[in-house]
Amino acid sequence: MGRLTALLVVVACCTASADGPRGELVTRDVYLMGTRARLATPDPTRERGLATLATALDVLERAERELSTWRESSAISALNRHPVGVPWHAGPTLCRTFEEVWRWHAASGGAFDPAIGRLLAAWDVHGDGAIPAPPARARASAASGLALLAFDRTKCTLTRQGDVAIDVGAFGKGEALDRIEAALGNVPWMVDLGGQISVGGVGPQEGWTVAIAHPCRRDQPYLHVQLRDGSLATSGGSERDITVDGIRISHIFDPRTGRPASFDGSVSVWHRSGLAADALSTALFVMGPEEGLRWAESRGIAAIYLIPEHGTVRMAVSPAFRNRFGRLQGN
Ligand code: AMP
Ligand code: MG
């Protein structure tokens, strides 16, 4: 198991690669949830390893069927087109997911707000990008924000109070990773889902060696950390941002202003929960290094900003991140 340290997972904004150590590691590469996924488990019995990965893959596929807004048949798509004012029932799993979404929305002061589907659509963030005219921008803003979704936790219902739509981009992957953890129990595993990495089970003492990418060059590792448990999520602009008429449109929006976030580096967050790491990396990207680091410090959140500055990279690290990962050496 100690040989797992040979594993290198490159965490980039959205690309990742894992090189397994000589024969012991069983891996699978798939494309789902609109991104690439690598699943790995150390198991000398290849058949058993493949069965573990099949279980994990099944969890991911089910999560995609429930959460993906690219699928008309998903639960989230059904919620997004449910008649305004009529309660929509969420199943027990989704109800727990929404509780976490609401929790991190409140904790982040609204920097994480997945109910911005209309805003993202107006700026065509998932397409080629567009600069909406002021009336369209105002309409989209007026139809955005979790405040427009009434969540009744005891009945597990959500009621749209306007033409609001959920976008799962900032929490769906993390939630899917948490569901893998619940399904696999003590089996050691690593899943890299579009750059967010979770590990679990009785892992090697040393953990998995994970590289955080250079904030501007996603294919280039910038620094390495040892991941022993939980999840590491990175939000960065370099590979998904769009430029329209010379204006850079970040794929991450500041729900508080209704405009693209202006930070141009990356931020990585470790959290025990994949959903929390996912939501918080997006929230901290929105806040930017100054506000974000203060916020993370005051709450004991493990976060690291990589800030492009004068042709180099400056690291801004919260104490919780340093305590967890020790000495950090960028290159
Ligand atoms: P991530 O790459 O995890 O930071 O997630 C970014 C994705 O989440 C974007 O591509 C959008 O789909 C969505 N998104 C953008 N801004 C926000 C925000 N402030 N809160 C929640 N979701 C967002
Ligand atoms: Mg995120």
Side-chain angles (χ1 to χ4, degrees), residues 13-14 110-116 120 125-126 167-171 173 196 234-236 240 251-255 278-279 281-283 285-286:
C13 304
C14 252
F112 164 70
D113 188 337
I116 56 167
L120 299 172
V125 167
H126 295 307
D167 181 291
V168 300
F171 70 93
K173 291 200 287 281
Q196 178 168 354
T234 298
S235 289
R240 275 157 77 193
H251 71 108
I252 297 176
F253 265 59
D254 186 339
D278 197 358
S281 68
T282 308
F285 187 94
V286 168

Side-chain angles (χ1 to χ4, degrees), residues 33-86:
M33 296 188 102
T35 191
R36 284 200 310 214
R38 165 155 278 212
L39 300 81
T41 184
D43 200 321
T45 319
R46 192 173 155 71
E47 246 168 59
R48 201 174 51 195
L50 284 173
T52 300
L53 298 187
T55 304
L57 194 53
D58 185 52
V59 172
L60 286 179
E61 282 166 351
R62 273 186 285 139
E64 180 179 31
R65 279 199 296 275
E66 185 172 34
L67 301 174
S68 173
T69 47
W70 305 106
R71 289 171 181 257
E72 287 290 301
S73 56
S74 78
I76 299 290
S77 293
L79 167 62
N80 284 347
R81 56 171 187 262
H82 201 68
V84 173
V86 180

Side-chain angles (χ1 to χ4, degrees), residues 104 107-113 170 233-236 252-256 261-271 276-307 316-318 320-321:
W104 292 114
S108 69
F112 164 70
D113 188 337
T234 298
S235 289
I252 297 176
F253 265 59
D254 186 339
R256 304 166 304 182
S262 55
F263 179 49
D264 63 355
S266 73
V267 56
S268 303
V269 173
W270 178 90
H271 201 282
D278 197 358
L280 288 179
S281 68
T282 308
L284 289 181
F285 187 94
V286 168
M287 292 181 204
E290 223 172 283
E291 180 193 347
L293 206 61
R294 269 201 311 272
W295 187 89
E297 280 187 25
S298 68
R299 284 160 179 83
I301 299 290
I304 179 170
Y305 282 92
L306 300 183
I307 308 159
V317 190
S318 76
F321 195 92

